Amino acid sequence: MGLCPSTSSGPRSRAAAMNCRAEVLEVSVEGRQVEEAMLAVLHTVLLHRSTGKFHYKKEGTYSIGTVGTQDVDCDFIDFAYVRVSSEELDRALRKAVGEFKPPPCRPQDALRSSGSDGMGQISLEFYQKKKSRWPFSDECIPWELWTIKVNVVNLANEQERQICREKVGEKLCEKIINIVEVMNRHEYLPKMPTQSEVDNVFDTSLKDVQPYLYKISYQITDTLGTSVTTTMRRLIKDTLAL
Amino acid sequence: MDTDLSSQDRKDLDKFIKFFALKTVQVIVQARLGEKICTRSSSSPTGSDWFNLAIKDIPEVTHEAKKALAGQLPAVGRSMCVEISLKTSEGDSMELEIWCLEMNEKCDKEIKVSYTVYNRLSLLLKSLLAITRVTPAYRLSRKQGHEYVILYRIYFGEVQLSGLGEGFQTVRVGTVGTPVGTITLSCAYRINLAFMSTRQFERTPPIMGIIIDHFVDRPYPSSSPMHPCNYRAGEDNGAVYPSVEDSQEVCTTSFSTSPPSQCVFTVTKAHFQTPPPVVTDTLKVPVMGLAFSHQLSSSRLSYQPAALGVGSADMGYPVLFAGGLNAAHPHQLIGPGKEGGVPPVPSQPAHGTQADQERMCTPLDGVHYSAATPSSSEDTETVSNSSEGKCGSPHDLLETIFIRKVGAFVNKPINQVNPPDSPETESPLQGSLHSEGSSGSSAGNTHDDFVMIDFKPAFSKDDILPMDLGTFYREFQNPPQLSSLSIDIGAQSMAEDLDSLPEKLAVHEKNVKEFDAFVETLQ
C-alpha cells in the first residue's frame, strides 16, 4: 500500500476532482458478517486488479508471472467467492478490514453496539504515483475508487439470523455481478510502466502477485454521529506514519 | 476485413481465442465439480499458463472441448456452449445453466492483439471465475453427490436455451473486442428451481447404487454426451486418451513497454504429453478410498475416473454413475440387496455399439453390483424399477444414472465383482457415515450386534463433575439463550433511542468548538 499524505478533502471529492472512476456498493449486514462481506468485495475487486509479477528483460520487454486463485467459503454468510492466491495480500486486506470493526472495548463507537444500528463505509482506491521534485512529496492520483457502504443491523433471534445469512448471500452475488460489469467496461487503466516506473503504478512489495497501487480507508458512523472522532484518529495515524 | 490484420496477428488472435475457449470450459466445469478450487500463484512465468492465470487443465474436459470445437473457432452464429444440468438419483434431469461463448460482427480494428486483447481475455477469465461462484448452480454443485449430480455438456453451434424453463435470467460475464469480432461470454441460468428444492431431495429415498460408468450419446441432433462434473485425481495412471491432434501449445509471452510497433510476443510449440491432471489440495480423498479404490482401479481398463466423484464436502464419499442402459439388457441392472447379489455381467454389450460415440472414458469391464445389506431398509427401491421404466425408449438411454447410497456401499461390498478388501475396514466408517445419512433409519438396523460399553470420554472426568457423557449431553442440550442476545437487552425500542438523541446531540454540539480547534492544529 502506498503512503500518501491525506488531504483535508475526503477521497471522494478528490476523486471527483481528478476525474477518477467511482463506484459505490451498499450492503446491509449483521455485525459478524461485516468482515466476510468486506473481504468478499475487496478480494473480487483485487482479483481483477492484480497481475502476475513483472519480470523485466532487456530491450524493455517484460514477462508476467502467473496468478493463482482459490475459493473461499464464508462462515456467516451463505456465500463463496474467489480470491487471488496470495497470503500476503489476504493478510493485508484482513488487517484493513479488521480495523474497520472497532474493537469491543470501545462500545460507544462499535458498529455492533447493541441497541443501535451502525453505518460505515470502506473505500478501496487505486492510484498512481506521480513523482514531484523535492521538497514536495509524491502526488497520488486516484484512477478508480470503490466505496462500500455498510449498514449494520442487529438481529434478535436465530431465525432472523438464518434468513439474513441467505439474504446477504444473495445480495453479495448481485454485488459481484456489479463489480464484474464495471470491470468489463474496459475503461481507463494505467499504461503499462517501464521498469523504472513500475512502482508508481503497481504494488511490487508482494512476492507472488502484483496488484495496482491501492489504499484502503474507512469511516464509521453510528447513529450518534461520532464519525468526527474516528476520522481524526485516522488522520493522526496517517500523519504520524509518514 | 482481415486485410488490416497482419498474418502474425491473425494467427496469434486465433490461438488466443482457441485457448480462451478451452480455458473457459475448464473454469466452468471445475466450478461445478463440487470442490473448492485452489491454484498457486507463481512469480516466475511458466509456459503453460495461458492468460497469466493458473487454471488447471483436466484432460477429459479439454478433450471434450476440442472435440466439440472440431478445429473451429467461435464465430458469428457458431457459439461454444457449456450446458450444466442436474440429474437426480431417480433419473430426473434439469438444465441449470448454459454458458455461451459467442462472437459477433462488431470489430475493433484499432486494438492491439498481442497485448490488449490478451490482457482483456485474461480479465474476462477472472470475471468468469468470479461469476461461476455466484449463479445458483454453484451452491447446488457444492452439495451434489448423494441425491443428485451435476453434469456438463459441450456443444458448438446455435445456443439452445429452451431447456432452462421460463423466466431464466442472463448474466453477462464480459466482452472483448478484437479486430475480427467481439467475443461475448454470458450465462443463462434457470431460476425456477422450485420443484428441485433441497427439501425434496431429502425426502427422496436414495436408491441402491449401481456402478456403471459409461455414457451413451443422447440421441439429439448435434448433441454430445453428458458428463459428470466430478473428478478424482491420481487414478488415471492407465488413462489413455486419443492422442491430441495438436501438441500442447506453450504460451510464453513477453510484453514490451516500448511503442506497440515493437511488441515482442512469442508463442512456442512444445511437444509434451499432457501431464496427468493433478487437482491438488482441495480434492478430498474419499473416506472409503480403501476398499473402494482398490476395486475400481483393478477393474478399470484405461480409464480416467470421471465416474468417481467426491461429493459432499463433509463426507467425501464417492459418487458413482451409471451410464446408459442398452435397451436390450434391462435386467442386468436388477440387483437388490435382498437377493444377495447378482452375477456380474461380462463386457458391456452396450459398449460395443456405443464405443465409437464414447468419449475417451472407456467403460469398466463389467457392471458392478453392490448389494446393500438386507437390513438397510432404505434400499428397497431397486434399480430395476427405474431402469425398466426408462428403457422403453432410446431417448432414455442416458437417463439412467444411479447414485450409490452411502450406507449400501459401506455395508456389504462382498457381492461386488472384484474382491474388495476386508469388509471390516468399512464398519468403523459406518458410524460416521451414517451419522450424515439421509434418513438414518438404516443406522438402527445395522447395529443389532453392538454391545453396550461404558464410555469414558476424556473430557468428562468424574472428579470435576460427576456425570457421564450422556448426562452431560442431555443436560446441556438446550442451553439458555445468551443474555446479550435476549430480547430485553437487544431490542431497545427505536423510540428510546430517538428520545436520547437530542441530549447526545447537545453534548456533541457543545464540544464542536473543541473539535474545530483540534482540526486547526493539525493543518
Side-chain angles (χ1 to χ4, degrees), chain B residues 32 82-84 95-99 135 137-138 164 187-189:
Chain B
R32 299 289 176 262
V82 181
E83 178 190 292
I84 301 289
E95 279 177 31
L96 295 177
E97 301 172 322
I98 313 267
W99 297 83
T135 53
Y138 179 71
L164 291 175
C187 172
Y189 59 94

Side-chain angles (χ1 to χ4, degrees), chain B residues 82-151:
Chain B
V82 181
E83 178 190 292
I84 301 289
S85 59
L86 177 150
K87 191 131 199 157
T88 66
S89 53
E90 287 176 331
D92 295 320
S93 78
M94 179 170 70
E95 279 177 31
L96 295 177
E97 301 172 322
I98 313 267
W99 297 83
C100 307
L101 179 60
E102 301 167 297
M103 179 82 103
N104 70 27
E105 289 143 344
K106 189 170 156 207
C107 303
D108 183 347
K109 297 282 178 205
E110 307 301 320
I111 204 168
K112 282 289 148 211
V113 168
S114 58
Y115 172 70
T116 313
V117 172
Y118 190 81
N119 285 337
R120 287 188 181 176
L121 289 175
S122 176
L123 198 69
L124 187 51
L125 272 178
K126 291 174 182 170
S127 297
L128 181 64
L129 281 162
I131 296 283
T132 44
R133 274 63 177 174
V134 145
T135 53
Y138 179 71
R139 297 194 56 209
L140 283 174
S141 69
R142 289 292 298 270
K143 295 181 191 152
Q144 72 177 297
H146 196 62
E147 290 101 4
Y148 62 89
V149 289
I150 304 292
L151 309 176

Side-chain angles (χ1 to χ4, degrees), chain A residues 50 55 62 71 85 115 184 192, chain B residues 39 43 115 126 133 255 497:
Chain A
S50 300
H55 297 275
Y62 61 95
D71 282 315
S85 283
N184 174 57
M192 283 301 143
Chain B
T39 58
S43 67
Y115 172 70
K126 291 174 182 170
R133 274 63 177 174
F255 296 94
D497 270 351

Side-chain angles (χ1 to χ4, degrees), chain B residues 33-314:
Chain B
L33 288 179
E35 293 291 319
K36 279 168 71 163
I37 304 294
C38 178
T39 58
R40 295 185 58 186
S41 303
S42 159
S43 67
S44 328
T46 62
S48 55
D49 290 328
W50 275 91
F51 307 106
N52 307 118
L53 282 175
I55 297 171
K56 290 197 164 67
D57 283 321
I58 300 178
E60 171 196 294
V61 174
T62 305
H63 183 78
E64 283 303 309
K66 283 185 169 158
K67 209 168 78 165
L69 286 172
Q72 297 176 316
L73 290 176
V76 179
R78 288 200 319 257
S79 312
M80 190 187 74
C81 301
V82 181
E83 178 190 292
I84 301 289
S85 59
L86 177 150
K87 191 131 199 157
T88 66
S89 53
E90 287 176 331
D92 295 320
S93 78
M94 179 170 70
E95 279 177 31
L96 295 177
E97 301 172 322
I98 313 267
W99 297 83
C100 307
L101 179 60
E102 301 167 297
M103 179 82 103
N104 70 27
E105 289 143 344
K106 189 170 156 207
C107 303
D108 183 347
K109 297 282 178 205
E110 307 301 320
I111 204 168
K112 282 289 148 211
V113 168
S114 58
Y115 172 70
T116 313
V117 172
Y118 190 81
N119 285 337
R120 287 188 181 176
L121 289 175
S122 176
L123 198 69
L124 187 51
L125 272 178
K126 291 174 182 170
S127 297
L128 181 64
L129 281 162
I131 296 283
T132 44
R133 274 63 177 174
V134 145
T135 53
Y138 179 71
R139 297 194 56 209
L140 283 174
S141 69
R142 289 292 298 270
K143 295 181 191 152
Q144 72 177 297
H146 196 62
E147 290 101 4
Y148 62 89
V149 289
I150 304 292
L151 309 176
Y152 74 93
R153 180 170 80 95
I154 308 172
Y155 62 91
F156 191 70
E158 276 201 36
V159 183
Q160 300 156 15
L161 295 177
S162 51
L164 291 175
E166 283 179 14
F168 62 85
Q169 290 202 353
T170 313
V171 59
R172 193 167 79 160
V173 181
T175 60
V176 173
T178 76
V180 301
T182 300
I183 297 169
T184 308
L185 187 51
S186 60
C187 172
Y189 59 94
R190 169 188 283 273
I191 52 173
N192 182 15
L193 292 166
F195 67 95
M196 282 290 206
S197 68
T198 321
R199 250 164 272 135
Q200 175 155 356
F201 289 135
E202 285 162 10
R203 280 200 297 271
T204 308
I207 60 171
M208 186 183 69
I210 294 286
I211 315 167
I212 300 176
D213 43 7
H214 92 264
F215 296 85
V216 181
D217 245 343
R218 263 187 185 177
Y220 298 138
S222 75
S223 70
S224 51
M226 298 292 295
H227 311 294
C229 284
N230 52 63
Y231 185 73
R232 200 173 110 180
E235 288 278 345
D236 58 343
N237 299 322
V240 167
Y241 301 108
S243 58
V244 177
E245 51 279 8
D246 50 353
S247 53
Q248 176 82 0
E249 308 225 22
V250 171
C251 161
T252 52
T253 58
S254 301
F255 296 94
S256 170
T257 51
S258 34
S261 57
Q262 294 171 29
C263 229
V264 171
F265 185 90
T266 55
V267 178
T268 59
K269 265 182 167 201
H271 284 265
F272 56 87
Q273 256 313 34
T274 316
V278 179
V279 180
T280 58
D281 316 327
T282 55
L283 258 194
K284 276 192 160 31
V285 177
V287 173
M288 305 188 293
L290 318 158
F292 184 62
S293 61
H294 168 84
Q295 164 235 318
L296 270 191
S297 58
S298 60
S299 63
R300 194 170 293 128
L301 301 171
S302 52
Y303 183 58
Q304 184 264 350
L308 183 59
V310 184
S312 153
D314 309 318

Side-chain angles (χ1 to χ4, degrees), chain A residues 105-135:
Chain A
C105 62
R106 297 190 61 109
Q108 65 270 29
D109 53 14
L111 270 180
R112 290 177 274 165
S113 58
S114 58
S116 66
D117 289 353
M119 279 217 46
Q121 64 181 49
I122 201 166
S123 299
L124 171 62
E125 179 186 293
F126 292 100
Y127 65 94
Q128 273 177 273
K129 266 201 269 197
K130 192 170 148 198
K131 293 243 183 281
S132 309
R133 278 197 296 265
W134 185 89

